[in-house]
């Protein structure tokens, strides 16, 4: 189970809650890994918190983004390194603004039916779209695929640059992704804009909540997303 953080302690707090959820509910043997960019190491105080949960450190090189990429999102392309981590059969990359509520065993063992990655359909501008959200990403590391991705990134391939790594992955895998299901990436945007769909899924059945509309550490129990925020606030 992999994630990547910036140097703000609030993201570390998010990762520790996410990691505790994985540890509490998931029986499949797994490691918790934080990917750290060599040129931008996390402060030691952050690592003290992460180590308590059992997170390990994987130091990687910065992957240069295309020039058109938004400057504040350029470092996110380091996520491509997970394809090169062939010491693992399976990787689930999870954003730190998530909460793992249930076991990830079924997700780890999911048959992607010949597709290269597992993700969920996205919602943008209040509507379902044909692209995917990569906040929860299931894959099987492969050295050749890793090199292919890095070469494609530097090839001039056009994609939705404002979406950074998610835009790139959507262009590369637009016909090669498997739907892992809402319960494995319950996007808070659906709570806001597609409430009927959200309410069709009992909250106890949701495995991963993804706090896209408002970072969970900014949530208030009496705010717009109150009941969903309270789940994160009350989690250990």
């Amino acid at each position: 189970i992999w994630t990547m953080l910036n140097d703000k302690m609030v993201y570390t707090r998010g990762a520790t809650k996410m990691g505790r959820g994985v540890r509490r509910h998931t029986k499949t043997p797994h490691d918790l890994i934080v990917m750290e960019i060599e040129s931008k190491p996390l402060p030691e105080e952050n690592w003290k918190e992460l180590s308590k949960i059992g997170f390990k450190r994987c130091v990687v090189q910065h992957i240069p983004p295309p020039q058109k990429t938004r400057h504040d999102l350029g470092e996110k392309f380091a996520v491509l390194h997970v394809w090169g981590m062939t010491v693992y059969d399976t990787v689930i990359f999870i954003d730190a603004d998530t909460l793992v509520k249930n076991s990830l065993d079924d997700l780890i063992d999911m048959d992607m039916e010949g597709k290269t990655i597992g993700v969920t359909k996205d919602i943008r501008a209040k509507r379902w779209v044909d692209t995917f959200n990569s906040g929860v990403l299931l894959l099987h590391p492969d050295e050749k695929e890793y090199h292919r991705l890095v070469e494609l990134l530097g090839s001039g391939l056009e994609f939705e640059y404002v979406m950074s790594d998610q835009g790139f992955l959507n262009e590369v895998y637009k016909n090669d992704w498997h739907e892992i299901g809402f319960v494995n990436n319950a996007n808070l945007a659906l709570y806001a804009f597609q409430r009927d769909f959200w309410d069709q899924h009992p909250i106890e059945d949701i495995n991963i909540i993804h706090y896209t509309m408002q970072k969970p550490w900014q949530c208030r129990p009496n705010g717009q997303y109150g009941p969903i925020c309270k789940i994160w606030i009350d989690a250990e």
Side-chain angles (χ1 to χ4, degrees):
I1 312 296
W2 290 64
T3 194
M4 187 169 66
L5 308 174
N6 64 27
D7 56 2
K8 295 179 180 177
M9 182 58 84
V10 287
Y11 280 84
T12 293
R13 185 181 174 207
T16 57
K17 284 204 179 194
M18 180 268 284
R20 285 193 192 99
V22 175
R23 287 286 199 238
R24 184 177 298 116
H25 300 295
T26 303
K27 305 300 183 187
T28 303
H30 60 272
D31 290 332
L32 295 174
I33 311 288
V34 168
M35 191 183 301
E36 181 181 80
I37 298 174
E38 185 177 37
S39 59
K40 194 176 181 181
L42 294 176
E44 281 308 309
E45 61 178 335
N46 296 52
W47 274 113
K48 287 179 182 177
E49 297 302 313
L50 293 164
S51 297
K52 292 176 185 176
I53 313 302
F55 275 101
K56 300 178 180 180
R57 183 187 330 224
C58 178
V59 179
V60 299
Q61 298 291 319
H62 172 70
I63 295 179
Q67 288 186 347
K68 295 180 183 179
T69 305
R70 234 173 68 188
H71 73 280
D72 58 324
L73 297 177
E75 291 177 346
K76 290 177 64 65
F77 289 98
V79 69
L80 301 183
H81 283 299
V82 295
W83 270 268
M85 304 301 170
T86 54
V87 67
Y88 294 101
D89 293 327
T90 301
V91 164
I92 302 176
F93 191 93
I94 308 179
D95 283 350
D97 59 349
T98 59
L99 184 69
V100 174
K101 293 177 60 270
N102 291 322
S103 169
L104 302 185
D105 293 319
D106 288 346
L107 181 57
I108 292 170
D109 293 333
M110 183 173 287
D111 179 2
M112 292 194 290
E113 300 178 357
K115 302 297 185 182
T116 302
I117 62 170
V119 282
T120 48
K121 190 173 183 177
D122 207 1
I123 175 174
R124 293 174 64 183
K126 304 181 182 182
R127 299 178 181 178
W128 289 108
V129 290
D130 292 331
T131 53
F132 57 77
N133 181 285
S134 59
V136 179
L137 174 64
L138 173 67
L139 61 101
H140 301 298
D142 180 279
E143 191 74 21
K144 289 183 179 179
E145 185 68 358
Y146 166 66
H147 289 296
R148 185 177 83 94
L149 289 171
V150 174
E151 288 173 6
L152 279 173
L153 185 64
S155 71
L157 178 73
E158 292 286 330
F159 60 92
E160 195 174 5
Y161 294 102
V162 70
M163 298 301 292
S164 188
D165 59 311
Q166 180 169 293
F168 173 71
L169 293 174
N170 264 284
E171 183 61 31
V172 174
Y173 295 118
K174 56 187 172 184
N175 298 311
D176 190 18
W177 58 278
H178 178 73
E179 173 62 62
I180 62 174
F182 165 80
V183 296
N184 290 312
N185 186 353
N187 188 333
L188 198 60
L190 291 165
Y191 182 84
F193 304 124
Q194 298 284 343
R195 182 67 67 83
D196 287 346
F197 178 83
W198 180 287
D199 289 343
Q200 290 171 19
H201 303 82
I203 196 69
E204 59 269 20
D205 292 346
I206 293 176
N207 300 328
I208 304 173
I209 300 175
H210 190 184
Y211 292 82
T212 53
M213 301 297 293
Q214 187 173 50
K215 298 303 181 189
W217 44 86
Q218 297 172 334
C219 266
R220 297 292 179 268
N222 59 348
Q224 181 180 0
Y225 311 106
I228 312 304
C229 286
K230 193 172 186 302
I231 295 171
W232 189 89
I233 292 167
D234 291 345
E236 294 181 7

